[in-house]
């Protein structure tokens, strides 16, 4: 803590918080942020849904979920390779959790009420890396839409 404060006082414009650990928890959140930003708009509805999913999935309160999302936003902006983030998640969670993650990603995409081609392309890339079959992925997409 003292070192962070000292670094800020010595160079306030150059200080940056470190990237969070690229673990499954942060990778999932970063992918949700990336899905929400795929259409070049990051709206309140998407942010709110990401917070709710993180809170439910990790059994944390709303403030903790917002802090986790903020860390995931930082990871998303600092880790440009979607396949790499997805692979971290794929290797750390079960197939049921992968499917739940894909359903959550589709829910985030649908949260603003507008579907864009960029979002479809991104989510199809993610489902492929997660190892979810196209038929199962389509069923999860339809489930998230309703």
């Amino acid at each position: 803590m003292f070192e962070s404060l000292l670094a800020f006082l010595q160079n306030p414009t150059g200080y940056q918080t470190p990237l969070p650990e690229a673990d499954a928890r942060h990778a999932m959140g970063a992918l949700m942020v990336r899905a929400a930003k795929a259409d070049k708009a990051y709206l309140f509805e998407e942010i709110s849904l990401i917070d709710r999913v993180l809170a439910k999935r990790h059994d944390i309160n709303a403030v903790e979920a917002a802090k986790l999302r903020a860390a995931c936003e930082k990871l998303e902006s600092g880790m440009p390779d979607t396949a790499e983030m997805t692979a971290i998640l794929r290797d750390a969670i079960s197939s049921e959790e992968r499917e739940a993650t894909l359903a959550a990603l589709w829910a985030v995409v649908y949260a603003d009420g507008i579907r864009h081609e960029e979002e479809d392309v991104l989510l199809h890339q993610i489902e492929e890396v997660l190892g979810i079959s196209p038929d199962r992925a389509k069923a999860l997409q339809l489930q998230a839409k309703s």
Side-chain angles (χ1 to χ4, degrees), residues 10-23:
Q10 289 175 344
N11 187 11
T13 59
Y15 178 76
Q16 293 185 342
T17 57
L19 284 177
E21 186 177 343
D23 58 8

Side-chain angles (χ1 to χ4, degrees), residues 47-78:
I47 293 168
S48 178
L49 181 59
I50 291 169
D51 285 356
R52 288 193 312 271
V53 169
L54 291 173
K56 184 177 180 182
R57 182 90 179 247
H58 301 295
D59 195 27
I60 56 178
N61 67 38
V63 173
E64 292 168 324
K67 287 180 181 179
L68 178 57
R69 177 191 29 85
C72 293
E73 289 169 346
K74 179 101 173 141
L75 180 62
E76 186 275 334
S77 68

Side-chain angles (χ1 to χ4, degrees), residues 31-108:
L31 286 172
M32 286 193 294
V33 169
R34 179 144 306 162
K37 290 180 173 183
D39 62 358
K40 310 292 186 258
Y42 190 40
L43 304 175
F44 173 78
E45 295 85 0
E46 296 163 325
I47 293 168
S48 178
L49 181 59
I50 291 169
D51 285 356
R52 288 193 312 271
V53 169
L54 291 173
K56 184 177 180 182
R57 182 90 179 247
H58 301 295
D59 195 27
I60 56 178
N61 67 38
V63 173
E64 292 168 324
K67 287 180 181 179
L68 178 57
R69 177 191 29 85
C72 293
E73 289 169 346
K74 179 101 173 141
L75 180 62
E76 186 275 334
S77 68
M79 190 178 214
D81 186 31
T82 300
E84 184 180 338
M85 272 192 290
T86 307
I88 290 167
L89 193 58
R90 178 198 64 220
D91 295 343
I93 62 176
S94 69
S95 60
E96 294 83 22
E97 289 175 326
R98 285 185 229 142
E99 289 184 3
T101 297
L102 185 60
L105 288 166
W106 278 114
V108 168

